[in-house]
Amino acid sequence: MSKFNWTDFGIDKKLSAIDRDVMSMCQEYFDIVEDIRDTNQLKVLNSFIELEVGAQHLQGSTGYGYGDIGRDMFDKVFAKSIGAEDALCRTQFMSGTHAITVMLFGVLRQNMTMLSITGTPYNTLRQSLGLGDAKGGSLHDYGIKYKQIELDFNGNIDIDEVIRNIDDVDMVYIQRSRGYSIRNAVSPEEIGRISSNIKDINSSVIIAVDNCYGEFTSASEPTEFGADIMAGSFIKNPGGGIAETGGYIAGKNSLVELCAERLTAPGVGREIGSNILGYRNMFLGLYMSPHITCEALKGSIYSSALFELAGYKVSPSFSDSRNDIITSIEMGSENKLMEFCKAIQSTSPIDSYAVPVPGEMPGYETDVIMASGSFTNGSSIELSCDAPVAPPYNVYVQGGLNLVSTRYALLKALSILGNNNDC
Ligand SMILES: *Cc1c(COP(=O)(O)O)cnc(C)c1O
């Protein structure tokens, strides 16, 4: 019998009873994500063992970084852990958007056509494609054609429409995560099915995946199911809450090499890039990532269950299978949205005393509010939430390094917002 008592921490008896019910509703779904965690943990551990990671690989380098053995070893260990032929992991990728952009510019050439089959890509990428008002340097600027196919009525990939439009396409682009929209995340298995459908018709198509928020949420990655290349961020899942910055591109060796030439300079490629701080936190973060991603998934399942029980519209449901770490909760009013974000901020380990306020963000039509009290600036494997301040006032919650802190934050939020069933 658990001796832990919520009332010692300011959560009242009624809510502690709700927490108990929610935890038992969640148990069978926690079991599923723990199995995924265990598979991924041993894939990662065995990659470290088979490639013989040693203390020497944790050290840093200076200047050009020629012969940086830590950097080169991390590329190999990461690639093996996610079942990819090759990977380019760098602290010099400044964000997920940067890594994805390098992937696109690395692979695409003038007159090639990129087809997004998951609708409009994530907000921060729209300028890179040439869909925004960027001052120049977009794919469009370089003569690369862009087309997109909307998701179908149920939020799934419209495979018939994709097949009808595949003839003159060079790259198919898939965003695995829901990002900040109400849709389903795409599973690696589904990416595999779609890739083989596409390649049956046009075998030269390159399948590229925005894998942000997807890493280690299933027992396999898109590159193990037919994706040719993918990219993501180390301040999300694969950094385990420990890596301080960086991103990766992983997939077929020939494509990863092209991206390395684009990131640095042609002819120089992956041979340069120093890291004075060393690679300890990248290796440790990767090692912790299956566990930390599981904690975030449990937090997501818990959030859905708690708010569903309290009469809120959530997506995905607590019982749905997950392919990213995001939960959206419909707040229904601006006031409730603000209160929710305040509660998340006030229960964060860092900057708990700050009060989030809405502000303008490039790429958004409405003001956006964000709550994040994280050890790493902008980290969203740590508990955080974001929302456009517009009806229906959906808040997107993600991350959470440990389940009990996520439970605490959400119980605090619910105690302020109140039960939707009451009104
Ligand atoms: C976070 C994210 C990105 C962009 O990453 P940043 O690090 O914020 O630049 C792209 N796509 C998806 C789906 C994401 O979740």
Side-chain angles (χ1 to χ4, degrees):
M1 193 54 192
S2 167
K3 294 211 171 68
F4 175 72
N5 198 345
W6 275 121
T7 53
D8 295 344
F9 299 94
I11 302 292
D12 69 25
K13 278 225 169 68
K14 197 172 150 219
L15 268 178
S16 2
I18 291 173
D19 171 76
R20 223 174 10 256
D21 293 346
V22 168
M23 287 297 278
S24 62
M25 274 165 71
C26 291
Q27 198 51 56
E28 75 176 282
Y29 305 100
F30 287 175
D31 291 346
I32 295 170
V33 294
E34 284 178 5
D35 282 351
I36 292 170
R37 173 197 63 195
D38 293 350
T39 302
N40 285 327
Q41 188 65 63
L42 294 188
K43 278 167 82 175
V44 171
L45 174 59
N46 280 321
S47 304
F48 276 67
I49 295 169
E50 282 166 36
L51 290 162
E52 302 190 334
V53 176
Q56 66 277 18
H57 297 118
L58 309 182
Q59 308 304 315
S61 63
T62 59
Y64 295 122
Y66 287 133
D68 184 330
I69 57 170
R71 179 193 69 204
D72 296 346
M73 178 55 96
F74 190 78
D75 281 351
K76 291 201 185 85
V77 172
F78 186 67
K80 197 173 183 66
S81 299
I82 59 167
E85 206 175 280
D86 194 6
L88 180 73
C89 307
R90 290 294 180 277
T91 53
Q92 286 85 2
F93 283 125
M94 289 167 251
S95 66
T97 303
H98 185 210
I100 294 164
T101 302
V102 170
M103 168 176 83
L104 298 176
F105 278 97
V107 171
L108 292 165
R109 296 291 177 271
Q110 191 171 16
N111 292 324
M112 283 188 170
T113 300
M114 164 184 171
L115 176 69
S116 166
I117 64 169
T118 42
T120 310
Y122 192 76
N123 299 67
T124 56
L125 285 155
R126 294 175 192 170
Q127 310 274 347
S128 306
L129 300 173
L131 301 178
D133 52 6
K135 296 190 181 58
S138 68
L139 288 169
H140 175 79
D141 228 20
Y142 281 79
I144 293 149
K145 300 184 196 105
Y146 172 77
K147 299 195 292 188
Q148 71 182 45
I149 290 173
E150 300 310 320
L151 293 166
D152 70 16
F153 190 71
N154 298 315
N156 297 315
I157 292 173
D158 189 345
I159 187 67
D160 295 334
E161 193 59 23
V162 172
I163 295 302
R164 271 196 288 280
N165 286 280
I166 204 66
D167 288 342
D168 57 348
V169 168
D170 300 285
M171 176 193 275
V172 160
Y173 180 86
I174 300 171
Q175 180 181 307
R176 179 175 176 184
S177 162
R178 68 189 50 234
Y180 298 122
S181 56
I182 301 289
R183 53 163 266 209
N184 301 320
V186 190
S187 70
E189 289 80 357
E190 203 177 334
I191 292 173
R193 266 196 307 281
I194 287 160
S195 304
S196 62
N197 276 338
I198 290 171
K199 291 193 180 193
D200 283 347
I201 297 167
N202 184 347
S203 63
S204 63
V205 171
I206 295 163
I207 309 289
V209 177
D210 168 357
N211 202 36
C212 282
Y213 284 139
E215 300 89 355
F216 301 125
T217 60
S218 3
S220 310
E221 295 297 326
T223 39
E224 294 170 83
F225 276 99
D228 297 300
I229 193 153
M230 64 187 192
S233 162
F234 283 116
I235 65 166
K236 294 182 180 175
N237 313 12
I242 295 168
E244 298 97 338
T245 190
Y248 72 87
I249 296 174
K252 295 243 165 75
N253 167 259
S254 57
L255 298 175
V256 171
E257 289 290 344
L258 287 176
C259 296
E261 302 286 281
R262 166 76 198 193
L263 173 64
T264 62
V268 175
R270 68 199 306 168
E271 302 301 323
I272 63 164
S274 62
N275 182 358
I276 186 113
L277 294 176
Y279 297 91
R280 179 182 180 275
N281 288 354
M282 292 184 78
F283 280 106
L284 181 58
L286 173 61
Y287 180 66
M288 291 305 292
S289 173
H291 168 72
I292 295 294
T293 303
C294 179
E295 288 297 291
L297 283 170
K298 286 181 179 174
S300 169
I301 293 165
Y302 179 90
S303 311
S304 294
L306 180 68
F307 277 82
E308 260 177 278
L309 205 63
Y312 290 78
K313 246 169 116 176
V314 305
S315 171
S317 168
F318 75 100
S319 58
D320 287 339
S321 72
R322 277 163 163 74
N323 283 288
D324 64 17
I325 59 168
I326 306 175
T327 312
S328 74
I329 308 171
E330 188 175 310
M331 289 292 119
S333 78
E334 184 168 336
N335 182 47
K336 281 196 168 185
L337 177 59
M338 301 297 165
E339 291 302 329
F340 184 91
C341 293
K342 269 197 225 164
I344 299 295
Q345 187 73 38
S346 72
T347 51
S348 300
I350 308 293
D351 297 336
S352 58
Y353 53 83
V355 178
V357 290
E360 276 179 44
M361 282 279 290
Y364 292 85
E365 284 100 55
T366 56
D367 281 359
V368 175
I369 184 163
M370 300 181 166
S372 167
S374 55
F375 291 89
T376 296
N377 178 258
S379 165
S380 45
I381 185 64
E382 300 180 51
L383 185 64
S384 53
C385 68
D386 314 67
V389 186
Y393 303 101
N394 277 317
V395 66
Y396 297 87
V397 189
Q398 65 266 318
L401 298 179
N402 59 81
L403 179 60
V404 71
S405 302
T406 304
R407 284 159 68 194
Y408 185 51
L410 287 145
L411 289 170
K412 268 277 166 72
L414 191 59
S415 73
I416 294 160
L417 297 174
N419 200 314
N420 247 3
N421 298 320
D422 300 340
C423 51

